[in-house]
Amino acid sequence: MTILQEILVWTQGLPAWQSDAASRLIAKQVLTPEDLEDV
């Protein structure tokens, strides 16, 4: 398992908004103002 996969597994135990924020950060590396409003 790669570190990225381990992080994604770990985020599944977080509240939904935190998991979503982490997924967006992993995918984009920078959150947009729209992402911040969504989260």
Side-chain angles (χ1 to χ4, degrees):
M1 184 179 297
T2 68
I3 189 70
L4 181 57
Q5 290 170 322
E6 289 185 41
I7 291 170
L8 289 173
V9 169
W10 171 75
T11 63
Q12 291 174 359
L14 297 174
W17 72 270
Q18 290 176 336
S19 178
D20 182 39
S23 294
R24 291 174 191 235
L25 278 171
I26 290 168
K28 297 181 176 183
Q29 293 154 10
V30 175
L31 295 180
T32 65
E34 292 80 18
D35 290 325
L36 294 175
E37 285 183 35
D38 289 346
V39 173

